[in-house]
């Protein structure tokens, strides 16, 4: 267990989109020795993600959009199927996910349930992601969704049978970790019927 950490130096390498820092730090190891390391950390802020589900129809709402990092790492189209998500900016996680849900999916949700929070890539990214689930119904649909034009979002809204979503995880058509975690949560807690 690391008992003491001291940042020795912090340099900003980039702040074009978010902040990439190069940090040199020392920490005292459990044997009492001091180790110095240099690492880079990407700070993009914290985020929230939600899986919308409908018990009656046994469906979930997901999105599909282009993700450049996946494209440059072997995804031939760059398209990724995901649960609705966004950065907190200055909102609390619950307010953020309500706003993002309406912007991206067109659903104005009422009751949201926080189920967990997790570091998604702790070796290099500072972000904590807050996970939510919520029921949706056709009556909650207020718009087409698709994202915010000024943010250059181009999001396709998908309403999928839950069985189809599970199959897409198994066949690797859904590769997004946060989405897989939410689908597994819904499955493990018997929120929707697993065929």
């Amino acid at each position: 267990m690391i008992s003491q950490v001291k940042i020795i130096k912090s340099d900003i390498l980039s702040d074009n989109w978010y902040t990439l820092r190069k940090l040199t730090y020392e920490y005292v190891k459990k044997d009492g020795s001091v180790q110095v390391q240099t690492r880079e950390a990407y700070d993009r802020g914290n985020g929230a993600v939600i899986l919308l589900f409908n018990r009656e129809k046994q469906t979930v709402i997901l999105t599909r959009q282009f993700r450049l990092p996946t494209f440059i790492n072997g995804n031939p189209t760059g398209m990724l199927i995901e649960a609705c998500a966004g950065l907190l900016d200055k909102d609390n996680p619950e307010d953020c996910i309500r706003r993002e849900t309406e912007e991206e999916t067109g659903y104005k949700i009422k009751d949201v349930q926080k189920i967990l929070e997790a570091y998604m890539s702790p070796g290099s990214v500072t972000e904590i992601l807050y996970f939510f689930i919520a029921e949706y119904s056709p009556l909650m649909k207020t718009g087409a969704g698709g994202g915010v034009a000024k943010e250059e979002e181009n999001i396709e809204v998908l309403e999928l049978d839950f069985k189809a979503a599970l199959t897409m995880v198994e066949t690797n058509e859904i590769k997004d970790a946060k989405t897989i975690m939410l689908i597994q949560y819904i499955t493990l807690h018997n929120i929707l019927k697993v065929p």
Side-chain angles (χ1 to χ4, degrees):
M1 178 68 103
I2 298 172
S3 60
Q4 190 175 8
V5 177
K6 179 181 177 185
I7 303 294
I8 299 169
K9 186 177 180 186
S10 176
D11 296 315
I12 294 177
L13 301 180
S14 174
D15 63 356
N16 290 334
W17 188 250
Y18 299 108
T19 306
L20 177 62
R21 286 187 173 86
K22 181 178 179 182
L23 298 133
T24 302
Y25 61 96
E26 65 180 31
Y27 66 86
V28 179
K29 295 170 39 174
K30 65 181 179 181
D31 67 3
S33 64
V34 176
Q35 186 169 31
V36 176
Q37 293 185 343
T38 300
R39 297 285 186 270
E40 292 176 5
Y42 187 57
D43 184 356
R44 58 187 304 271
N46 294 329
V49 61
I50 191 165
L51 183 60
L52 302 179
F53 65 92
N54 183 295
R55 287 184 207 270
E56 183 180 332
K57 294 167 52 177
Q58 293 291 297
T59 54
V60 292
I61 298 291
L62 297 174
T63 64
R64 181 175 14 229
Q65 62 184 308
F66 178 77
R67 295 297 199 181
L68 178 64
T70 75
F71 180 75
I72 61 176
N73 194 24
N75 179 356
T77 66
M79 300 302 285
L80 202 63
I81 296 173
E82 307 174 55
C84 171
L87 294 176
L88 300 186
D89 298 321
K90 295 182 181 179
D91 285 338
N92 66 55
E94 199 169 300
D95 289 341
C96 166
I97 206 57
R98 288 177 194 279
R99 178 189 41 144
E100 290 291 337
T101 300
E102 192 165 5
E103 289 174 2
E104 291 188 7
T105 71
Y107 286 91
K108 187 168 185 155
I109 53 173
K110 296 178 182 175
D111 300 316
V112 298
Q113 177 187 349
K114 181 183 170 198
I115 57 168
L116 61 100
E117 55 188 71
Y119 291 100
M120 294 302 291
S121 189
S124 59
V125 180
T126 62
E127 178 186 36
I128 294 175
L129 194 58
Y130 299 89
F131 288 74
F132 293 89
I133 58 172
E135 289 196 61
Y136 77 95
S137 75
L139 297 175
M140 295 177 184
K141 188 82 168 160
T142 61
V148 178
K150 71 179 180 180
E151 294 177 12
E152 299 178 2
E153 293 179 320
N154 184 23
I155 298 168
E156 178 186 359
V157 181
L158 307 172
E159 183 175 38
L160 299 174
D161 178 81
F162 186 58
K163 181 179 178 181
L166 279 170
T167 300
M168 292 169 84
V169 170
E170 291 169 5
T171 61
N172 217 19
E173 192 173 347
I174 294 178
K175 292 184 175 185
D176 176 63
K178 64 187 180 296
T179 305
I180 294 168
M181 291 168 68
L182 284 165
I183 289 171
Q184 288 177 340
Y185 182 91
I186 293 285
T187 303
L188 290 171
H189 291 84
N190 297 312
I191 293 169
L192 296 179
K193 295 175 187 170
V194 178

